Amino acid sequence: MDKVKRTKKQLTDISSSEYKYGFKTNIEEERLPNGLNEDIIKSISKIKNEPKWLLDFRLKSYEKWKKMKEPNWQNLKYPKIDFNEICYYSSPKKKKLKSLDEVDPELLKTYDKLGIPLDEQKMLSNVAVDAVFDSVSIATTFKDTLKKAGVIFCSFSEAVIKYPDLIKKYLGTVIPSSDNYYAALNSAVFSDGSFVYIPKNTKCPMELSTYFRINAANTGQFERTLIIADDNSYVSYLEGCTAPMRDENQLHAAIVELITLDNAEIKYSTVQNWYPGDKNGKGGIYNFVTKRGHCKGNNSKISWTQIETGSSLTWKYPSCVLKGDNSIGEFYSVALSNNYQQADTGTKMIHLGKNTKSTIISKGISAGHGQQTYRGQVKIMKNAINSRNFSQCDSILIGSNCGAHTQPYINIKNSSSKIEHEATTSKIGEDQLFYCNQRGISTENAISLIINGFCKDVFKKLPMEFAIEAQKLMEISLEGCSVG
Amino acid sequence: MLKINKLNVGVDDKNILNNINLEINKGELHVIMGRNGTGKSTLSNIITGKDGYNIGGGEVLYKNKNLLDMSTEDRALEGIFMSFQYPVSIPGLNTMHFLRTSVNSIRKHQNKEEYSSGEFIKVFKEKLAIVGLDESFAKRSVNDGFSGGEKKRFEILQMLLIEPKLVILDETDSGLDIDALRIVANGINNFKSKNNSFLLITHYYRIIEYLNPDFVHVLLDVKIVKSGDQKLALKLEENGYGWLKK
């Protein structure tokens, strides 16, 4: 197939993709009634043409969920969520807009500040894309390259149909549905997500990103991602996009499971910038996410890097289970809470294998009335001899109405392992800003200089363009901040 | 350059400066001496625009513009620079990055061409040598873990890079050893010209000896009680402030 034809086919695939979810003609309004019960779950499964084993998985998860209690140990304050008032499936494609004129001008302003080109702005704002749109051809060439390498990268729903054996083998093995309340909920109602499989002895030829996989851009509120790196393989995966996705959904409960076999490595980077609510704390996403990686093989490595600037509530602890001997787990995090945002985030490093190593670098930034909690657990089991952990948790406060809290839990069950923990809390002071102002640097620039300096150790772990965008994103998120 | 007329300043109900008159012309270096807590630092804070003071009356003119209406940032952009008595540390903020941002904001405002990264490194190294700091400074964070002497030299380095019109040196000589003092004084003399002005706040004669000021003023009990030339400073060094009591 020549390139033009291929692009055309790709376009047809994309433009028709919204129909494949449909069972009514009016796609834009397709949604299941609010509420959660067996019938709803059966409908979701039916819409997605799922095999019976997956429906059973969902129903079992739902049974477990019903018996579980909502966690209340986190340092987050919010009104009780009524799970029967939520719609668990609506058409994943939002209403298409005819032109950029129909897009919220505030959103466009932000895109401009982020330096996102016009065509991409159209795509991000869900304006119908036309044939000349670059990303389409990118997506096409991209798929070819991956196919040659033997890498599987597709939506979760597609994987269920095409690669049922892989899904059956690994689904829920890292995060069982009984793991926690929100994991059980996700397991019962998940709508879509990404699936990645890197075959043995393969270095994935490019960084994978949900951003380029257009048809998975709007996977809805209960995403499920599964990434498997087979022996001697490597993949770097970028989740999310730095542009603000003004999702209307209130509750997000996603699951990400990572598995590395012998000598494999997964690097997972996230920029989470969901709607944070307005200046007065009205609206915004509740983000309850369970992310965990299983370093199953010897000498394997999983590295989480996250930049969390969005959502009104963040409840998220990307973790590593270091089962293989000599395996390595890493967690690099920047979390920012401005206005009335609250974040309770951190990691768990569970050392099971010998000579396992973990590193935790967490940077929390609170401004306005924002509240930040770092919550982390380092557990070194009896057989994990000669294991190491290094943790550094720093917080910075901007203004005097915000808060920072650090809750590290440490548990070592053998005597040959070592743990180091460092923590600092500092405040951007009026003196620092006065100093910068006296040198001709505006308050806004000064805050962003100070914050970028503070986050440096984490930003440098991000892929290059991501790091630059993350910096810009911090600037935007802190706009209009005051220290008073 | 700077003209202060009948300035009164207070904090809460307390009177800190009373009826201050001071005129600094282009090319002049003025010194203010006085006991601790007599309002010397308040004066520099008022000129640079720090919050927290009540202006009870009077005016401060800079290049014939009302300085009190301008923000700290605008004053800096217009050429006012203060070498801080206690420079704050900003952990994580790289010195080079900070300096370049500062220098380029000011150059941009003054319609001078901004330094590219290569150009800036060149100028930076040149000035670094003048204040006797080594190049590893480029990798440190602003004032973070600096010794007292390093902090003061770093302030002078900034002055040399920014090339301000009016320089306030707030006890820049305090805490310096003999060698460092000479280096700092040389840095100041190097930069001093017919086109800029200096206001030095100090307790000691030694730096005055190096800088040869045009005027020396004594600030005591919220007022300027005496003005003179370098000889006045020498007299204070020898006799203290007792003889000046009203």
Side-chain angles (χ1 to χ4, degrees):
Chain A
M1 215 187 306
D2 66 34
K3 204 180 162 200
V4 178
K5 273 189 195 157
R6 202 167 54 209
T7 308
K8 272 189 185 161
K9 185 181 176 295
Q10 190 70 37
L11 265 181
T12 335
D13 286 353
I14 290 164
S15 53
S16 64
S17 62
E18 62 188 44
Y19 291 98
K20 83 181 171 207
Y21 298 102
F23 58 98
K24 283 182 203 159
T25 44
N26 192 350
I27 297 302
E28 284 161 11
E29 287 174 12
E30 172 194 293
R31 57 187 278 145
L32 292 174
N34 289 357
L36 185 53
N37 52 52
E38 275 195 18
D39 287 342
I40 290 282
I41 292 167
K42 281 176 185 163
S43 307
I44 295 171
S45 191
K46 195 180 165 195
I47 293 165
K48 302 173 81 60
N49 273 322
E50 284 175 358
K52 188 174 176 299
W53 59 266
L54 192 53
L55 174 62
D56 290 345
F57 174 83
R58 288 177 182 276
L59 291 173
K60 267 187 217 154
S61 305
Y62 175 62
E63 283 308 312
K64 286 175 193 158
W65 179 77
K66 277 200 294 187
K67 292 185 195 108
M68 293 169 92
K69 279 210 171 87
E70 239 179 297
N72 61 2
W73 42 261
Q74 64 269 33
N75 186 18
L76 301 171
K77 290 191 184 76
Y78 54 97
K80 204 167 163 44
I81 300 168
D82 185 345
F83 290 90
N84 273 317
E85 275 303 305
I86 292 171
C87 164
Y88 289 87
Y89 188 88
S90 63
S91 167
K93 290 281 174 188
K94 282 182 278 184
K95 187 174 178 257
K96 291 240 177 197
L97 307 172
K98 285 195 193 75
S99 76
L100 276 179
D101 298 343
E102 295 176 42
V103 181
D104 178 359
E106 281 296 310
L107 194 58
L108 292 181
K109 241 193 259 170
T110 312
Y111 287 155
D112 280 339
K113 282 179 194 154
L114 283 168
I116 295 171
L118 199 67
D119 278 345
E120 288 184 46
Q121 291 191 14
K122 285 185 186 167
M123 189 183 83
L124 293 167
S125 332
N126 212 28
V127 172
V129 286
D130 53 12
V132 291
F133 186 30
D134 246 9
S135 293
V136 175
S137 49
I138 291 171
T140 314
T141 45
F142 179 67
K143 281 200 168 168
D144 284 352
T145 316
L146 290 180
K147 206 172 171 188
K148 265 182 215 151
V151 171
I152 301 172
F153 179 33
C154 63
S155 73
F156 200 90
S157 310
E158 195 181 331
V160 167
I161 310 293
K162 283 190 180 164
Y163 314 101
D165 294 344
L166 281 172
I167 300 280
K168 258 195 233 172
K169 186 171 173 190
Y170 291 107
L171 177 71
T173 59
V174 187
I175 304 170
S177 51
S178 56
D179 188 79
N180 70 68
Y181 191 76
Y182 294 99
L185 179 66
N186 175 289
S187 302
V189 300
F190 67 88
S191 30
D192 210 332
S194 301
F195 175 75
V196 177
Y197 174 79
I198 313 292
K200 281 180 186 166
N201 309 315
T202 304
K203 182 176 190 294
C204 186
M206 54 181 52
E207 285 180 339
L208 299 183
S209 149
T210 38
Y211 177 65
F212 283 124
R213 205 163 55 69
I214 298 165
N215 58 350
N218 299 308
T219 41
Q221 63 203 101
F222 300 99
E223 281 175 67
R224 181 137 200 149
T225 296
L226 175 59
I227 301 177
I228 301 147
D230 213 324
D231 297 348
N232 305 308
S233 69
Y234 169 85
V235 62
S236 165
Y237 188 90
L238 314 178
E239 180 200 37
C241 164
T242 55
M245 298 288 224
R246 295 277 167 118
D247 199 305
E248 298 83 9
N249 296 314
Q250 185 72 24
L251 176 69
H252 278 246
I255 282 185
V256 176
E257 296 181 283
L258 310 182
I259 294 147
T260 48
L261 302 181
D262 286 348
N263 308 308
E265 177 176 352
I266 298 176
K267 186 173 158 50
Y268 194 102
S269 313
T270 306
V271 174
Q272 184 267 111
N273 187 29
W274 301 102
Y275 184 51
D278 68 12
K279 283 208 162 89
N280 303 312
K282 212 177 153 209
I285 305 294
Y286 292 180
N287 198 26
F288 291 89
V289 180
T290 309
K291 290 183 168 180
R292 193 174 303 154
H294 189 186
C295 285
K296 207 171 170 186
N298 293 335
N299 312 309
S300 64
K301 179 175 175 184
I302 288 178
S303 177
W304 298 101
T305 305
Q306 60 171 22
I307 310 295
E308 302 280 323
T309 60
S311 298
S312 64
L313 293 182
T314 300
W315 181 97
K316 184 181 168 187
Y317 316 92
S319 305
C320 296
V321 178
L322 304 171
K323 181 157 183 288
D325 290 344
N326 314 311
S327 60
I328 297 172
E330 295 175 336
F331 174 74
Y332 302 104
S333 168
V334 165
L336 179 150
S337 316
N338 194 4
N339 298 321
Y340 285 86
Q341 282 176 280
Q342 306 173 62
D344 192 303
T345 184
T347 184
K348 280 194 280 188
M349 292 291 173
I350 313 293
H351 294 249
L352 302 174
K354 296 181 186 96
N355 309 314
T356 46
K357 270 200 284 192
S358 62
T359 304
I360 299 170
I361 309 266
S362 162
K363 305 277 180 176
I365 301 153
S366 317
H369 291 82
Q371 291 292 328
Q372 275 284 332
T373 303
Y374 167 81
R375 190 180 301 279
Q377 184 179 41
V378 177
K379 204 169 187 176
I380 299 185
M381 305 307 280
K382 203 174 158 210
N383 294 327
I385 52 167
N386 293 318
S387 291
R388 300 272 181 277
N389 163 265
F390 173 77
S391 303
Q392 185 183 340
C393 307
D394 298 326
S395 312
I396 197 163
L397 304 166
I398 307 173
S400 43
N401 295 318
C402 53
H405 318 270
T406 304
Q407 307 256 5
Y409 303 88
I410 293 168
N411 191 344
I412 315 183
K413 295 193 168 147
N414 68 56
S415 56
S416 59
S417 296
K418 265 188 196 160
I419 288 195
E420 282 176 73
H421 185 96
E422 291 175 9
T424 64
T425 302
S426 54
K427 196 173 172 197
I428 295 192
E430 288 181 28
D431 284 351
Q432 288 174 327
L433 293 183
F434 180 66
Y435 190 77
C436 293
N437 288 157
Q438 213 300 304
R439 299 303 188 243
I441 301 169
S442 68
T443 301
E444 231 166 66
N445 273 342
I447 290 179
S448 118
L449 280 177
I450 295 168
I451 292 300
N452 278 323
F454 177 74
C455 301
K456 200 165 51 186
D457 292 346
V458 174
F459 283 168
K460 71 183 179 201
K461 296 289 171 187
L462 287 170
M464 186 64 176
E465 321 94 84
F466 239 44
I468 293 165
E469 288 187 39
Q471 280 193 17
K472 287 190 198 158
L473 187 60
M474 300 301 278
E475 277 167 33
I476 291 167
S477 305
L478 284 169
E479 224 163 60
C481 238
S482 78
V483 294
Chain B
M1 186 76 79
L2 183 78
K3 200 170 177 184
I4 301 176
N5 290 325
K6 296 179 184 161
L7 181 70
N8 290 315
V9 178
V11 171
D12 301 325
D13 290 337
K14 215 182 144 206
N15 203 8
I16 295 192
L17 291 176
N18 191 10
N19 194 26
I20 300 293
N21 294 291
L22 183 67
E23 185 168 358
I24 305 180
N25 295 311
K26 258 191 191 177
E28 290 178 357
L29 192 154
H30 290 237
V31 176
I32 291 195
M33 300 183 80
R35 287 195 178 119
N36 294 321
T38 50
K40 299 189 300 299
S41 288
T42 299
L43 187 60
S44 51
N45 287 340
I46 292 294
I47 297 171
T48 48
K50 197 172 165 80
D51 283 344
Y53 299 97
N54 306 320
I55 309 289
E59 59 177 6
V60 181
L61 300 174
Y62 171 69
K63 293 184 188 166
N64 295 320
K65 273 184 276 186
N66 182 1
L67 199 61
L68 301 177
D69 282 349
M70 291 162 70
S71 69
T72 299
E73 184 193 338
D74 287 339
R75 298 180 200 198
L77 294 173
E78 286 291 331
I80 294 181
F81 175 91
M82 172 157 81
S83 165
F84 282 72
Q85 185 181 0
Y86 304 111
V88 285
S89 63
I90 309 180
L93 176 53
N94 174 267
T95 50
M96 277 276 273
H97 188 42
F98 169 76
L99 291 175
R100 205 179 135 210
T101 308
S102 156
V103 171
N104 276 343
S105 327
I106 292 170
R107 289 180 73 87
K108 191 177 167 193
H109 180 79
Q110 297 175 351
N111 294 318
K112 290 184 197 161
E113 203 169 324
E114 291 176 54
Y115 285 126
S116 70
S117 148
E119 285 163 353
F120 187 76
I121 290 172
K122 213 178 135 221
V123 186
F124 174 74
K125 284 184 177 172
E126 195 183 294
K127 309 289 185 193
L128 206 56
I130 296 176
V131 295
L133 292 171
D134 72 86
E135 285 176 19
S136 66
F137 244 73
K139 295 202 174 96
R140 297 174 73 177
S141 298
V142 175
N143 292 316
D144 193 26
F146 287 18
S147 71
E150 283 174 332
K151 281 185 185 172
K152 295 296 168 78
R153 292 193 216 188
F154 185 61
E155 294 293 293
I156 297 304
L157 172 69
Q158 293 179 65
M159 178 194 79
L160 295 175
L161 287 166
I162 288 173
E163 301 179 328
K165 295 279 179 293
L166 173 65
V167 179
I168 297 154
L169 302 164
D170 193 355
E171 298 198 23
T172 302
D173 54 333
S174 305
L176 291 182
D177 64 43
I178 300 164
D179 290 337
L181 179 66
R182 200 183 54 241
I183 291 169
V184 162
N186 282 343
I188 295 166
N189 278 330
N190 224 307
F191 172 62
K192 193 170 171 279
S193 79
K194 273 184 282 182
N195 296 316
N196 51 33
S197 311
F198 286 79
L199 178 63
L200 166 71
I201 294 166
T202 186
H203 288 293
Y204 306 108
Y205 185 68
R206 189 179 282 275
I207 190 166
I208 293 174
E209 225 175 355
Y210 279 116
L211 298 182
N212 301 314
D214 303 287
F215 296 94
V216 174
H217 311 277
V218 184
L219 193 60
L220 274 186
D221 301 326
V222 309
K223 281 182 189 159
I224 292 184
V225 293
K226 197 164 182 66
S227 295
D229 57 14
Q230 196 167 332
K231 283 180 222 141
L232 174 59
L234 187 61
K235 195 168 176 190
L236 292 169
E237 173 84 1
E238 286 165 355
N239 303 321
Y241 295 103
W243 61 279
L244 281 168
K245 275 206 173 148
K246 344 170 192 174

